[in-house]
Amino acid sequence: MRKRIPVGRSRGTRGLIPVFLWGLLAMLLAAAPLAAAERPLVLVMGDSLSAAYGIEREAGWVHLLAERLDGKARVVNASISGETSSGGAARLPELLRQHAPDIVLLELGGNDGLRGLPPGQLRANLATMIEASRAAGAEVLLLGIDVPPNYGPAYRDAFTGVFQRLADRYSVPLVPFLLEGVALDHGLMQADGIHPTAAAQPAILANVWPALAPLLEADLAQTEAAH
């Protein structure tokens, strides 16, 4: 009668091979989350313009950004259609805690403007978000927006001026108008005249990229230097 060998044991060196392979697999699985965590993380806080309203989410500029980064950085899109600066300011602390982003893109204010909310309120909310992001160790990029001319020049000037004043006060990069080259092109806007079409999304990303790229390059350089 043959002597039975307990499972997990073997005579000679042959029994070491499965053990070695399991150990290697465990090391690879442990290293994978670490490698992912080392990549810079970009958090996008926006409204319908960044939430791909009315089009496929995969066609939106935020998704196109993730594709362009090609795994060199991670992108979390926390944008919600209809979001105001007040809503964003309320949600941001938990998102900062959860994701610990390296860069925060603030694309809010459009719904404040459409509702005719005071520009001072927008300024205070965005300032709170900039300060919270910086306190969490993240760089900030402001994405400015405009309101239609029928809101009157006084309100419009006060509204659009919020973004430049905040950029100056906190020394953060600014994209003056997210929909530059898009908003006045009827062929790139949906029927509501407010939201861009899928065809407009590459142009929106092209507006964002020149201001975002230096922030990403700095973060990637720091990551490489740390290794």
Side-chain angles (χ1 to χ4, degrees), residues 103-120:
I103 302 171
V104 175
L105 273 59
L106 295 181
E107 182 277 298
L108 288 168
N111 290 304
D112 295 59
L114 292 176
R115 299 179 186 185
L117 298 178

Side-chain angles (χ1 to χ4, degrees), residues 9-218:
R9 299 179 183 176
S10 180
R11 295 177 179 176
T13 59
R14 290 183 299 171
L16 297 176
I17 296 177
V19 174
F20 169 76
L21 292 177
W22 277 113
L24 179 60
L25 178 60
M27 291 173 62
L28 291 174
L29 290 175
L34 179 61
E38 290 173 347
R39 292 179 292 156
L41 189 144
V42 179
L43 175 66
V44 182
M45 289 292 296
D47 49 34
S48 56
L49 298 179
S50 298
Y53 176 88
I55 61 176
E56 294 294 330
R57 193 171 183 85
E58 291 74 17
W61 75 266
V62 177
H63 186 82
L64 297 181
L65 169 63
E67 290 184 337
R68 183 166 185 170
L69 293 173
D70 193 26
K72 295 178 181 178
R74 296 167 291 158
V75 178
V76 173
N77 191 358
S79 304
I80 298 177
S81 293
E83 184 73 288
T84 62
S85 63
S86 295
R91 289 194 301 122
L92 182 60
E94 175 59 24
L95 290 166
L96 292 172
R97 186 200 64 77
Q98 180 179 353
H99 298 291
D102 299 280
I103 302 171
V104 175
L105 273 59
L106 295 181
E107 182 277 298
L108 288 168
N111 290 304
D112 295 59
L114 292 176
R115 299 179 186 185
L117 298 178
Q121 179 177 312
L122 171 63
R123 182 173 64 253
N125 289 331
L126 289 178
T128 296
M129 298 178 77
I130 292 172
E131 292 173 2
S133 299
R134 284 189 160 177
E139 297 288 339
V140 175
L141 171 59
L142 270 178
L143 305 181
I145 198 65
D146 202 347
V147 292
N150 60 299
Y151 280 74
Y155 182 82
R156 189 181 185 189
D157 290 346
F159 179 86
T160 57
V162 164
F163 299 97
Q164 188 61 62
R165 286 195 292 274
L166 288 172
D168 293 340
R169 175 183 174 186
Y170 291 100
S171 298
V172 298
L174 167 69
V175 175
F177 184 33
L178 180 66
L179 301 184
E180 183 68 37
V182 173
L184 298 181
D185 187 335
H186 298 298
L188 295 177
M189 299 297 290
Q190 297 181 39
D192 60 12
I194 298 174
H195 299 97
T197 63
Q201 303 302 309
I204 297 175
L205 177 56
N207 289 337
V208 175
W209 184 256
L212 176 59
L215 299 179
L216 286 167
E217 290 172 3

